[in-house]
């Protein structure tokens, strides 16, 4: 069979399979709204976290997922403006009865953009703690949430780990796009050749001249974040169009104190850790991790957690670093929902 025809047939079958599984949930109406929440800035000044709140139409679920994006991303990672029926984590969760709030980290998206130098891990974790307070108090959507599960991606996973370990205020933790022993060569090359000051970027330069906010160079995201053979080119285009900036001091403290020196050791609630099997940053050369399956990954990661974490690990086959944006991402979302039901007891209406 010619390669193009085989690829088309495989894509068609995958889409059909996804449709057959998701058909009962596809009819559910969803509601999404954007809002701003007050938090504390790096120097104690008032600041704002912007976010997108999505939930199914009808009764408000008992639980909410707080979604924390990675470096050079913003909340669009969770609701990419391209083929949302296939790639939006938020809309897919809402169709299955789950509420989510995707936050823009301080310094990115629609949130406040303070001076980058003091925008360190404790500040970022505190701002998410304050957002959790708003969710539990009913200031998002008008209903107090009895359960909050905090979800991170990449650098956001380090922030999530620090938040959960410091404040002990969540019912479950989901960490994606990270392991505790990353590929130092891949990360080093990515930083040296894949990043540039945000003020030098054609689109982000208008945000200001702060020299310690960085973003990816044009075209770098495909090699850093994706297994391109398992990625729709339209996804990479949308990713490039919505990319954002990250504080280099913040990213550095997150990497060291949130991931490598594990904040995860103090988490006392169930944890779900998911990576892409072809993540070059955390499963690639010299990463010292066997990412062939969740079963092979768990023994290496378990020592970084307490027994109360009841660590569950998952590997999305054929996916790169940004696993939520690959063609088979629905498998990762299904595994996440299974974990939410089994380990956190999150029920849907």
């Amino acid at each position: 069979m010619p390669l193009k025809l085989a690829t088309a047939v495989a894509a068609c079958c995958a889409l059909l399979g996804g449709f057959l599984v998701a058909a009962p949930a596809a009819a559910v109406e969803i509601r999404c709204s954007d809002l701003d929440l007050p938090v504390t800035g790096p120097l104690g000044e008032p600041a704002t976290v912007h976010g997108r709140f999505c939930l199914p139409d009808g009764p408000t679920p008992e639980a909410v997922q707080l979604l924390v994006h990675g470096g050079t991303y913003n909340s669009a990672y969770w609701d990419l403006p391209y083929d949302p029926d296939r790639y939006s984590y938020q809309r897919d969760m809402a169709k299955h009865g789950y509420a989510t709030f995707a936050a823009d980290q301080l310094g990115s998206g629609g949130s406040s953009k303070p001076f980058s130098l003091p925008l360190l891990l404790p500040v970022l974790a505190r701002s998410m703690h304050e957002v959790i307070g708003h969710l539990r108090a009913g200031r998002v959507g008008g209903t107090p949430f009895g359960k909050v599960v905090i979800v991170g991606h990449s650098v956001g996973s380090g922030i999530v780990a620090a938040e959960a370990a410091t404040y002990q205020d969540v019912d479950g933790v989901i960490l994606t796009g990270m392991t505790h022993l990353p590929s130092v060569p891949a990360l080093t090359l990515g930083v040296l050749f894949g990043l540039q000051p945000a003020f030098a970027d054609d689109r982000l330069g208008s945000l200001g001249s702060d020299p310690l906010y960085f973003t990816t160079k044009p075209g770098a995201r495909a090699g850093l974040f994706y297994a391109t053979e398992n990625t729709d080119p339209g996804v990479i285009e949308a990713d490039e169009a919505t990319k954002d900036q990250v504080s280099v001091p913040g990213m550095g403290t997150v990497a060291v104190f949130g991931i490598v020196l594990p904040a995860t050791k103090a988490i006392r609630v169930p944890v779900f850790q998911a990576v892409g099997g072809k993540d070059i940053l955390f499963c690639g050369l010299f990463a010292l991790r066997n990412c062939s399956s969740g079963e092979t990954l768990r023994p290496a990661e378990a020592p970084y957690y307490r027994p109360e974490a009841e660590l569950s690990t998952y590997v999305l086959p054929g996916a790169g670093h940004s696993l939520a944006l690959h063609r088979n991402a629905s498998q990762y979302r299904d595994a996440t929902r299974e974990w939410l039901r089994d380990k956190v007891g999150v029920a849907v209406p």
Side-chain angles (χ1 to χ4, degrees):
M1 182 182 293
L3 179 58
K4 289 185 178 180
L5 179 58
T7 302
V9 171
C12 178
C13 291
L15 180 61
L16 180 59
F19 173 76
L20 291 175
V21 171
V28 176
E29 296 293 328
I30 67 171
R31 294 174 284 146
C32 291
S33 58
D34 290 358
L35 66 156
D36 297 317
L37 299 172
V39 299
T40 306
L43 302 178
E45 77 280 15
T48 299
V49 163
H50 178 83
R52 173 160 293 178
F53 179 54
C54 291
L55 73 168
D57 200 14
T60 301
E62 64 164 330
V64 63
Q65 297 175 60
L66 171 58
L67 311 178
V68 184
H69 61 80
T72 74
Y73 276 100
N74 52 41
S75 57
Y77 175 78
W78 307 103
D79 188 27
L80 195 72
Y82 174 81
D83 198 357
D85 287 339
R86 185 163 191 175
Y87 296 109
S88 173
Y89 183 98
Q90 286 197 276
R91 295 172 190 276
D92 185 63
M93 284 291 169
K95 288 176 181 179
H96 285 82
Y98 293 86
T100 58
F101 181 79
D104 288 330
Q105 286 295 304
L106 290 174
S108 64
S111 294
S112 299
K113 295 174 178 60
F115 186 49
S116 61
L117 187 59
L119 193 55
L120 306 178
L121 175 58
V123 174
L124 296 166
R126 180 182 64 196
S127 66
M128 291 300 97
H129 167 63
E130 292 174 319
V131 170
I132 289 168
H134 293 311
L135 291 167
R136 290 198 182 275
R139 301 187 191 103
V140 178
T143 300
F145 286 100
K147 290 186 176 181
V148 177
V149 176
I150 190 167
V151 185
H153 172 64
S154 190
V155 168
S157 289
I159 297 168
V160 161
E163 195 288 329
T166 302
Y167 297 102
Q168 304 291 329
D169 58 353
V170 295
D171 300 280
V173 174
I174 299 175
L175 307 172
T176 73
M178 67 149 279
T179 67
H180 286 89
L181 285 178
S183 171
V184 174
L187 286 172
T188 302
L189 291 173
V191 169
L192 291 177
F193 299 105
L195 296 182
Q196 66 179 7
F199 68 75
D201 188 81
D202 290 342
R203 187 172 61 83
L204 297 178
S206 61
L207 295 178
S209 57
D210 189 320
L212 293 180
Y213 276 119
F214 270 54
T215 190
T216 51
K217 293 179 180 178
R221 301 177 83 81
L224 287 173
F225 300 152
Y226 293 94
T228 54
E229 68 276 9
N230 187 25
T231 307
D232 184 332
V235 165
I236 298 176
E237 291 179 12
D239 187 347
E240 288 277 1
T242 58
K243 73 176 183 180
D244 217 303
Q245 62 183 16
V246 64
S247 161
V248 171
M251 185 168 61
T253 56
V254 170
V256 174
F257 298 106
I259 298 175
V260 177
L261 299 179
T264 52
K265 200 64 171 166
I267 297 175
R268 299 174 181 270
V269 294
V271 176
F272 180 70
Q273 184 177 343
V275 296
K278 293 188 175 182
D279 185 341
I280 64 167
L281 301 180
F282 287 90
C283 294
L285 186 64
F286 302 121
L288 303 179
R289 288 291 183 261
N290 185 340
C291 295
S292 58
S293 70
E295 290 74 20
T296 62
L297 178 62
R298 191 183 186 283
E301 288 293 308
Y304 296 91
Y305 296 90
R306 303 174 67 91
E308 299 97 306
E310 301 176 19
L311 177 64
S312 301
T313 51
Y314 175 82
V315 174
L316 181 62
H321 183 60
S322 295
L323 65 163
L325 300 179
H326 284 70
R327 285 193 171 103
N328 57 341
S330 62
Q331 298 173 25
Y332 141 70
R333 298 191 299 264
D334 289 342
T336 301
R337 283 188 285 267
E338 182 179 355
W339 176 86
L340 285 168
R341 291 189 298 267
D342 294 347
K343 293 293 186 177
V344 188
V346 173
V348 295

